[in-house]
Amino acid sequence: MRVISASFVAAFLLAAPNLAHAQAATSHITCSQIPDAQRFLDGLKPGPNTSAARQHLDAAKQAADGGNDRQCVSELSRVNYYATRSAAADKRAATHPATRRHVLCADALHQNRPGGSDYHGPAVAGCPRRTL
């Protein structure tokens, strides 16, 4: 029994600075920052993290309208979590070349691809233009 309680105490002491840091991080969030959070979310690309952040922002607005500041701050901290993840994903997508879609251009057997004589879509960068 002492081994279990000693390991629990050790785990708690190791986690205590992280818990204090998490509380400090959420303590500076206030309900007055809802408009700032809305503007930040408006600049993010659509995705699952952005959707989750929007849901939590709506819940924060409802909590603020109901006068529940503690719930509002809690929801805004979740908005911050998902918005941060979404912004990081947007940054990775913008800088990582593998996320760009590779388009196959026309060749002798595939004239229905961009640049081919049977292609009827918009011009595609990197594929030769069809000459008439």
Side-chain angles (χ1 to χ4, degrees):
M1 183 69 173
R2 287 186 184 204
V3 172
I4 293 172
S5 62
S7 63
F8 176 77
V9 170
F12 179 77
L13 290 176
L14 290 174
N18 294 335
L19 294 174
H21 183 266
Q23 286 178 341
T26 59
S27 66
H28 71 276
I29 295 175
T30 63
C31 292
S32 65
Q33 294 172 322
I34 288 177
D36 296 329
Q38 181 68 53
R39 279 190 296 276
F40 185 77
L41 286 179
D42 290 341
L44 296 175
K45 293 181 181 177
N49 287 314
T50 304
S51 297
R54 289 190 194 285
Q55 289 174 351
H56 286 287
L57 183 61
D58 291 340
K61 289 177 184 178
Q62 288 178 354
D65 290 344
N68 190 346
D69 287 343
R70 188 174 184 175
Q71 181 66 27
C72 174
V73 169
S74 175
E75 292 295 337
L76 281 177
S77 69
R78 299 303 292 171
V79 170
N80 185 39
Y81 173 78
Y82 286 111
T84 302
R85 291 176 58 100
S86 182
D90 290 351
K91 185 177 179 181
R92 280 191 310 273
T95 60
H96 196 278
T99 59
R100 285 185 254 145
R101 186 173 173 219
H102 180 71
V103 176
L104 297 175
C105 297
D107 58 21
L109 296 175
H110 301 96
Q111 288 297 304
N112 61 341
R113 292 180 181 167
S117 60
D118 296 333
Y119 179 70
H120 298 289
V124 175
C127 294
R129 291 185 180 216
R130 179 176 57 138
T131 58
L132 296 174

